Amino acid sequence: MPTSNLHWHFNLSNDLKLYIPTTRKELELRGWDQVDIIFFSGDAYVDHPQFGAAVLCRVLEAAGYKVALVPQPDWRGDHRDFTKLGKPRLFFAVSAGSMDSMVNHYTAARRLRSDDAYTPDGRAGARPDYCTITYCRILKQHFPDVPVVIGGIEASMRRLAHYDYWSDRLMPSILVDSKADLLVYGMGEKAMLDIARRGIRHDIPQTAFIGTTDDPDAVHLHSFAEELHDKRAHAEDFKLIEIESNKIHPHTIVQDNVVVNPPYPVQTTEELDAVYDLPFQYCPHPKYRGKRIPAYDMIKFSVCLHRGCFGGCSFCTISAHQGKQITSRSKQSVLRQIEKIARLPDWHGVISDLGGPSANMYRMHGKDMALCEKCARPSCLQPAVCKNLNRDFAPLLDIYRSVRALPYVRHAYVSSGVRYDLINDEYGRELMTYHVPGRLKVAPEHIAAEVLQLMRKPLWNDYLRFRDFFLQINQQNGTHQQLIPYFISSHPGCTDKHMAQLAQETKRMHYHPEQVQDFTPTPMTLSTTMFYTGLNPYTMKPVFVARSKEQKRRQNSFFFWWKNKNA
């Protein structure tokens, strides 16, 4: 095991100086009177590359900027958390955190959740509803002359008109209600550096703003007012947005006076490696000592191998936020990170996850990228696996074997979702022999072909073939691993009849489903657009939607067919 050079037991001032400053006292420890950029985040501050605010702060810090971070400021009362660090030299940066605040707060039944995984001790209520908007309004109230830049998953997925499930209404771009000066969508390292260097400008890629554009090739959507009065207009606009989002060279998008600039080119391996080489402490800020942050517990010994996902699931926000093209880290970068986390004081030799948005897409891309540049398919896997997709697992298997060879690693598990429609025999055998922690989770989501087509998921027979392969490998290895399938109820297109078919099939297979959920509409996904409009945007044909609380409850009850009350 490597010798620790991360000084875990030192005096308070040196300890705090290893982190992004969060208080006036911490600024004084660095000798700073004023900072360049102040971040406000709806999450607790965990200095780990899986937490977006920490990543952006570290990237800007490495570029020479003085950066501070205020995690989970109190938005009630006198707003002293928003004013305690004074006025930044350049701008404020605001994020709701790693989740949309409304998804974080409410269940699919719109009931308030009792906990928050991104808050110390899992305490609920540490951030407001519509967090980005609330933080921005407070900052504009106290510092009207300081620019505010918004980002993170909440801002990213609400950058244009979107359906909000929790208020059950169509909402305009979050720029309208937040009054922010600039919105950064997607993974924001390049954009934030450009904004810091060049100021609040309207020509920065991967940003959105309220204004005008002289781009003659811009794609113009229906107005928000038209969408508000015509659901077909909203469906048509979603299709345009998704098509542009899946292009390698997309166009500018305009809706009313909201302009969304095209993104930067996909990050290179060297650029992604540079992010992970930054001096993260891989633990929460010292002020949380003695408190548990559930989200950190889940990822502290995990390693993300890549960004992006080409699966294109209808209900998923990953491709719309991170992009369809895969950016992968080098093996050397991965091994360096494992050496760092192996120095954590409670390390016991187990990597909890060698994964990514989809665990088995590492280094995959088009064989002929010239063909990819002409393609706007939302999924490289559905309705069939693209013939141009390079499905070489050799680089990923090389990482698995190199990590297993490290003397201080006892186990390296894969806990991220695995696309079973992408697995070949060699990869599947290696995965199941060495990297499954007793249970392998996969996501067939449903069994009905009509529903799976709308979800952009493989057919049930594909799952059954994978299940048979899984059982075969277990028998050969003499192991007793479990295959845990995820299922969703109330997805658009799913009827009670479809749920009854699912119940019959799971009963026949002696499954008591445990990984189940009721569909929750989240901004800017195909599934949400179908839920709101009752239309498939690609065919404009009607889609059945289970909308009412009773309809959703009844569909969910089919998962639990063995309970007498559901018989």
Side-chain angles (χ1 to χ4, degrees):
M1 186 170 181
T3 304
S4 174
N5 62 8
L6 299 179
H7 306 290
W8 297 104
H9 305 290
F10 33 57
N11 66 59
L12 184 61
S13 61
N14 285 337
D15 190 6
L16 291 174
K17 287 176 72 174
L18 290 172
Y19 294 82
I20 301 298
T22 66
T23 64
R24 175 61 63 180
K25 177 182 178 181
E26 291 169 58
L27 296 187
E28 292 170 355
L29 287 173
R30 297 189 177 213
W32 295 353
D33 293 324
Q34 184 185 35
V35 297
D36 299 316
I37 301 149
I38 300 175
F39 277 77
F40 289 86
S41 173
D43 291 344
Y45 170 30
V46 178
D47 198 46
H48 190 289
Q50 299 278 75
F51 288 77
V55 169
L56 295 177
C57 285
R58 290 296 188 185
V59 166
L60 289 162
E61 177 189 58
Y65 294 97
K66 296 177 180 178
V67 186
L69 170 62
V70 181
Q72 300 189 314
D74 185 355
W75 72 97
R76 309 172 185 89
D78 61 6
H79 302 156
R80 66 181 64 184
D81 282 351
F82 290 88
T83 60
K84 64 183 181 182
L85 300 185
K87 181 187 296 188
R89 184 177 66 87
L90 297 176
F91 58 87
F92 290 113
V94 168
S95 169
S98 300
M99 295 175 66
D100 185 292
S101 59
M102 303 306 287
V103 179
N104 181 283
H105 281 178
Y106 298 95
T107 68
R110 296 190 178 98
R111 287 195 294 265
L112 196 63
R113 298 185 191 274
S114 59
D115 57 3
D116 181 345
Y118 295 88
T119 299
D121 291 334
R123 179 173 52 88
R127 78 189 84 207
D129 287 357
Y130 306 106
C131 183
T132 304
I133 293 171
T134 301
Y135 286 0
C136 287
R137 286 176 175 172
I138 293 170
L139 289 170
K140 287 293 185 182
Q141 173 188 338
H142 291 280
F143 303 98
D145 58 332
V146 179
V148 176
V149 178
I150 58 176
I153 190 75
E154 181 167 279
S156 184
M157 303 308 293
R158 295 173 180 262
R159 59 187 181 264
L160 289 159
H162 56 278
Y163 171 68
D164 181 73
Y165 174 65
W166 300 273
S167 62
D168 191 25
R169 64 189 178 96
L170 199 69
M171 296 180 70
S173 166
I174 196 171
L175 283 164
V176 174
D177 290 328
S178 69
K179 303 295 190 292
D181 298 273
L182 207 59
L183 181 155
V184 174
Y185 65 92
M187 309 304 277
E189 295 98 334
K190 290 183 178 181
M192 293 300 285
L193 281 172
D194 257 8
I195 296 165
R197 290 168 180 155
R198 302 173 60 206
I200 306 296
R201 297 171 56 98
H202 289 175
D203 61 348
I204 293 176
Q206 211 161 310
T207 63
F209 59 90
I210 292 179
T212 58
T213 178
D214 55 5
D215 183 350
D217 297 320
V219 172
H220 289 264
L221 307 179
H222 294 283
S223 70
F224 176 67
E226 288 175 306
E227 286 196 20
L228 201 58
H229 292 98
D230 182 0
K231 290 183 177 180
R232 291 182 66 89
H234 181 67
E236 291 168 358
D237 283 349
F238 174 83
K239 179 182 175 181
L240 289 173
I241 294 166
E242 187 175 54
I243 287 172
E244 290 300 324
S245 298
N246 286 304
K247 290 180 179 178
I248 290 180
H249 304 295
H251 294 92
T252 301
I253 298 176
V254 181
Q255 184 173 52
D256 296 325
N257 58 348
V258 175
V259 180
V260 180
N261 290 326
Y264 292 89
V266 176
Q267 280 180 306
T268 65
T269 293
E270 293 73 24
E271 288 170 335
L272 193 54
D273 284 357
V275 171
Y276 280 86
D277 283 338
L278 295 171
F280 297 101
Q281 296 301 295
Y282 289 90
C283 59
H285 188 279
K287 70 181 179 178
Y288 302 124
R289 279 189 181 145
K291 297 180 179 179
R292 174 176 172 262
I293 300 174
Y296 169 66
D297 288 348
M298 290 178 62
I299 59 87
K300 64 181 172 181
F301 298 129
S302 71
V303 180
C304 184
L305 304 181
H306 71 271
R307 289 180 179 176
C309 179
F310 50 74
C313 299
S314 299
F315 45 80
C316 185
T317 61
I318 291 172
S319 61
H321 184 63
Q322 293 192 11
K324 188 174 77 168
Q325 302 297 320
I326 304 298
T327 301
S328 300
R329 300 168 63 188
S330 68
K331 182 175 78 172
Q332 293 73 24
S333 172
V334 171
L335 297 179
R336 285 195 297 270
Q337 182 182 352
I338 293 173
E339 183 177 347
K340 291 174 184 176
I341 65 176
R343 296 179 180 136
L344 291 169
D346 51 350
W347 165 257
H348 297 296
V350 178
I351 300 293
S352 61
D353 186 24
L354 274 176
S358 288
N360 52 331
M361 291 184 181
Y362 179 78
R363 287 207 181 282
M364 292 191 179
H365 50 75
K367 298 172 186 175
D368 181 353
M369 290 305 294
L371 293 179
C372 294
E373 292 187 359
K374 301 174 185 177
C375 177
R377 272 180 62 172
S379 172
C380 300
L381 302 180
Q382 293 299 319
V385 177
C386 178
K387 294 179 180 179
N388 189 45
L389 180 63
N390 174 9
R391 302 166 64 183
D392 182 10
F393 284 102
L396 182 54
L397 292 173
D398 181 40
I399 284 185
Y400 287 178
R401 292 161 185 164
S402 297
V403 171
R404 291 205 308 270
L406 294 172
Y408 44 86
V409 173
R410 292 192 297 115
H411 300 289
Y413 294 128
V414 175
S415 301
S416 297
V418 172
R419 287 295 300 230
Y420 55 83
D421 50 343
L422 195 58
I423 287 177
N424 64 17
D425 285 0
E426 182 187 15
Y427 174 79
R429 190 176 302 274
E430 184 108 4
L431 173 73
M432 295 168 204
T433 302
Y434 299 106
H435 299 284
V436 174
R439 315 174 97 203
L440 179 63
K441 298 176 182 178
V442 294
E445 311 294 6
H446 214 283
I447 71 162
E450 305 96 319
V451 181
L452 291 168
Q453 183 181 34
L454 291 172
M455 290 179 167
R456 293 183 184 145
K457 297 292 290 187
L459 295 175
W460 181 243
N461 282 340
D462 294 323
Y463 169 76
L464 295 178
R465 279 192 291 271
F466 176 73
R467 182 208 56 173
D468 292 344
F469 177 63
F470 177 87
L471 295 173
Q472 174 191 338
I473 299 301
N474 266 264
Q475 185 176 33
Q476 292 173 359
N477 291 343
T479 52
H480 301 282
Q481 298 168 345
Q482 290 180 287
L483 187 63
I484 309 297
Y486 283 77
F487 294 106
I488 293 179
S489 60
S490 304
H491 187 276
C494 180
T495 65
D496 285 4
K497 179 181 177 181
H498 294 130
M499 291 303 299
Q501 291 171 357
L502 191 153
Q504 289 174 333
E505 179 71 2
T506 53
K507 183 177 181 179
R508 183 186 68 79
M509 298 174 72
H510 306 291
Y511 278 173
H512 283 207
E514 54 181 89
Q515 299 288 342
V516 302
Q517 68 179 83
D518 193 26
F519 170 65
T520 303
T522 57
M524 207 173 169
T525 69
L526 173 60
S527 300
T528 299
T529 303
M530 289 190 288
F531 180 91
Y532 170 64
T533 64
L535 299 168
N536 180 342
Y538 284 85
T539 64
M540 298 309 286
K541 292 181 179 178
V543 174
F544 171 80
V545 176
R547 286 185 203 282
S548 73
K549 186 181 296 186
E550 173 56 27
Q551 285 176 315
K552 293 171 77 67
R553 186 208 61 77
R554 190 169 63 247
Q555 286 212 12
N556 191 259
S557 71
F558 280 96
F559 287 133
F560 310 104
W561 49 263
W562 65 90
K563 295 183 179 181
N564 289 334
K565 67 178 183 179
N566 296 330

